[in-house]
Amino acid sequence: MMKTSLTGIKPTHIPHVGNYLGAIRPALRLSETYRTAYFIADYHALTTVRDPAALRGHVHDVAATWLACGLDPDKTLFYRQSDVPEVFELSWVLACITATGQLERGVAYKDAIAKGEAPNAGVFYYPVLMAADILLFDTDVVPIGADQRQHVELARDMAARVNHLFGEGTLVLPEPLITEAPLVPGTDGTKMSKSKGNTIPLFESGKKLRKLCLSIVTGSETLEEPKKAEGTPLFEIYRQLATADESAALEAKLAAGNFGWGHAKEALYEVIERDFAPMRERFTALRADPAGLDAVLARGADQARGIARATLDRLRARTGIR
Ligand code: AMP
């Protein structure tokens, strides 16, 4: 049987090119080899988001983005976390078998304390909810960047403890699947990130997109001088999108001289405009129909709740709750 892979997506902003290349594209490729589940983690977003309209809007932005990028809801379980309230029941059981010290060692919580912040209890409890997200669906693997390893290991520890206390086979032990996604630079050359204002939004087009491409930092060589493409932010984005032949051609033109950074930026603009055109169209149509998006997510939630209830039935019987 195919293994199950589960991924959560926090609806905190409109996805950018870094999210697409670093998370969305690799995740969609996984659905060829795994039974995949993707959920929009709106309750995780609530640890920081305080604007109800923005949260609702971002859930729809994210749902439309993933569908536009090729997620097939007939093949992939696709739902909104808050539509599956069973996750909170499991999270309570997990909290009851977890030492507070384990949560105190949580990276997100520790970071916040180290920065002198006063994190809310949601930040402290977040690894428990994440473990419940994972364990509720008999997840085998969780694709993550190396920085998230601790959270999946904690979920695995919790599952092992539940099995030890209440019987083997109660919960499936998940494993981290460390993905080596490319780090996509933003227009200022540092990691593309919403908080830094250096992003290229995924479905930007026309003049705005062109302006963003032209704003990418480059060297200050003259038009005539030969230029090294490798390692420049512009080329690092370009080669993720263009074909291997196109990338080699751009690299050669820059190396030959008499080809300016402005020309290279133009080439990047064209490749983004071209590659994302079909997805942009699908996104626009999907995003204009929030009720349609909710219907897709509701169908996913129905399916998800069926799996969730089976897990909870097992757990309730064994813990003595029923
Ligand atoms: P965030 O936008 O920080 O919520 O990240 C959502 C997902 O996108 C995570 O899986 C990140 O690893 C990925 N991601 C975000 N920014 C980048 C980037 N600049 N390059 C590659 N992946 C990224």
Side-chain angles (χ1 to χ4, degrees), residues 53-65:
L55 181 55
R56 263 192 296 273
H58 286 152
V59 167
H60 289 140
D61 289 337
V62 165
T65 299

Side-chain angles (χ1 to χ4, degrees), residues 215-228:
S215 76
I216 295 175
V217 288
T218 56
S220 49
E221 299 97 321
T222 61
L223 174 71
E224 294 76 20
E225 279 178 89
K227 301 166 188 70
K228 189 166 176 283

Side-chain angles (χ1 to χ4, degrees), residues 10 12-13 16 18-24 145 181-186 190-194:
K10 242 191 200 184
T12 48
H13 57 81
H16 50 68
N19 295 136
Y20 176 75
L21 295 172
I24 300 176
L183 192 72
V184 181
T190 69
K191 180 184 174 184
M192 189 181 291
S193 171
K194 166 73 175 136

